[in-house]
Amino acid sequence: MTVSDATHAAVPSLKARRFGLHAQHESIVLMRRDCPVCRSEGLSSRSQVLLSAGGREIYATLYQMDGDILGLDEAALSEEAWRLLEVAPGDPVAVRHAPAIESMSSVRRRIYGSRLDKSAIQGIIQDVAAGRYTPIHLAAFLTATSVLPLDDAEVVALTRAMVDVGDRLSWPSDVVMDKHCIGGLPGNRTTPIVVAILAASGLVMPKTSSRAITSPAGTADTMETLAPVDLDVPAMRRVVEAEGGCVVWGGAVRLSPVDDIVRRQRLWHRSGVADNGGIGSRRSDVRNADETQSLQPKIGCQAHQEARRGGGERYSPCHTPAFLGRG
């Protein structure tokens, strides 16, 4: 037995159980509070844990329960966790504390107003794509890039990092068409019309679109009333080869997995929930500069000094939660 095998064997494991828990895209594991793994590892409810099975690893949020619904040797998985781990009932699932997320130090620097270089942004995006970021971690990053919008160098680095973690498609055509709009406009469904016109004109246009985020129906939802949109890459290729174009749901082909994750997040403002338009959005949801200034937190220790001079309560990154760690 190698050192690696011995280390893996030492990690406590439980039997996988499909619990039928639908938590959208969140990986959740339920365990008995008095189970041997929770007791020996010192795990508590809402801890981040690393689940391993069959060479696959995922990060999940732990919830604990009492009673006999679960056996002491069972780990109940949400549907998302079950899908990602690809386990069968009774398969051993190793459970341990999730390791620290190194890229969170970059997020913390960004909260303090520092610009991020290419390697720092790559580290963040790779961790997001790997499922290491909880909604709280991701909200911290989105907030930092919304308060201090990305500069041109950060936009380029972010775009390249998001492309690198996704799958890429190539098409045997000299010209491949695409279109995009700002999104979020109810009733604005030009994509199916544009794709149909260009494909009928002999051009190649393999179009991916999103489902609804804040509106009643997204472009993919609208197109689904006419044709299936949950196409995988082979099916997408067959349609394009036959028709010259397509409109498919982008989440089914994993071209930009981080974009799909980011789209599920929302930023909370004083007026309620608002869509910030994505990472580093330069779009403002307020009407004038005075209102913008009142909503945007101050950056760095300057905010702390202003709060002390004014005697009032203001946001200060000096008081950021402990989960952000030390930069």
Side-chain angles (χ1 to χ4, degrees):
M1 178 181 292
T2 65
V3 175
S4 177
D5 291 337
T7 301
H8 187 270
V11 177
S13 63
L14 298 171
K15 296 178 181 178
R17 176 175 170 183
R18 190 171 188 173
F19 209 60
L21 176 62
H22 295 269
Q24 292 188 334
H25 300 279
E26 187 173 358
S27 293
I28 293 175
V29 57
L30 290 88
M31 296 161 56
R32 285 266 295 267
R33 187 171 56 170
D34 56 346
C35 79
V37 173
C38 285
R39 294 170 65 89
S40 64
E41 294 294 303
L43 298 173
S44 59
S45 191
R46 294 193 62 82
S47 296
Q48 285 298 115
V49 295
L50 182 65
L51 306 180
S52 306
R56 290 171 294 277
E57 292 183 341
I58 66 168
Y59 288 74
T61 302
L62 168 67
Y63 287 91
Q64 295 176 317
M65 58 190 305
D66 296 322
D68 298 327
I69 298 178
L70 281 180
L72 288 172
D73 61 345
E74 288 184 319
L77 305 178
S78 66
E79 289 299 296
E80 180 70 2
W82 189 270
R83 181 185 68 83
L84 294 175
L85 274 182
E86 299 180 14
V87 291
D91 283 354
V93 177
V95 183
R96 62 186 176 94
H97 284 281
I101 305 174
E102 294 184 4
S103 66
M104 280 305 299
S105 62
S106 299
V107 174
R108 187 172 183 272
R109 291 202 310 273
R110 195 58 168 70
I111 290 175
Y112 274 83
S114 299
R115 295 293 179 182
L116 300 182
D117 58 18
K118 177 181 177 181
S119 62
I121 291 177
Q122 283 179 335
I124 292 172
I125 296 304
Q126 288 170 358
D127 282 340
V128 172
R132 300 187 181 103
Y133 272 39
T134 67
I136 295 177
H137 294 138
L138 189 54
F141 177 52
L142 293 179
T143 301
T145 59
S146 179
V147 172
L148 179 64
L150 302 174
D151 62 17
D152 291 344
E154 288 175 316
V155 169
V156 172
L158 176 67
T159 303
R160 288 176 174 168
M162 293 180 71
V163 170
D164 289 341
V165 298
D167 297 332
R168 300 192 188 189
L169 299 178
S170 60
W171 304 93
S173 176
D174 294 334
V175 178
V176 178
M177 307 301 294
D178 191 24
K179 71 163 285 285
H180 196 68
C181 62
I182 61 173
L185 300 178
N188 179 21
R189 294 294 169 259
T190 59
T191 296
I193 299 173
V194 172
V195 172
I197 292 174
L198 294 183
S201 301
L203 296 172
V204 175
M205 189 168 183
K207 184 73 179 77
T208 61
S209 296
S210 64
R211 291 192 180 276
I213 303 172
T214 56
S215 61
T219 299
D221 300 311
T222 303
M223 186 64 192
E224 197 170 35
T225 64
L226 304 175
V229 295
D230 291 343
L231 305 183
D232 56 17
V233 172
M236 182 180 179
R237 288 190 181 279
R238 289 195 298 270
V239 172
V240 174
E241 290 173 0
E243 307 297 338
C246 67
V247 178
V248 304
W249 174 47
V253 290
R254 202 185 176 278
L255 299 181
S256 184
V258 171
D259 186 58
D260 297 328
I261 295 172
V262 169
R263 284 174 176 272
R264 296 195 291 265
Q265 300 301 312
R266 295 292 181 268
L267 294 181
W268 287 85
H269 293 295
R270 295 177 185 177
S271 59
V273 180
D275 181 6
N276 79 318
I279 296 177
S281 174
R282 300 179 184 180
R283 187 184 73 195
S284 176
D285 292 323
V286 293
R287 296 181 180 179
N288 55 61
D290 292 337
E291 191 175 0
T292 302
Q293 189 173 10
S294 68
L295 286 178
Q296 290 185 343
K298 300 292 185 180
I299 294 294
C301 293
Q302 177 186 359
H304 181 60
Q305 295 169 0
E306 290 181 7
R308 292 183 62 184
R309 287 197 299 267
E313 289 293 329
R314 291 190 183 182
Y315 169 92
S316 172
C318 298
H319 301 148
T320 48
F323 73 84
L324 293 177
R326 296 293 179 185

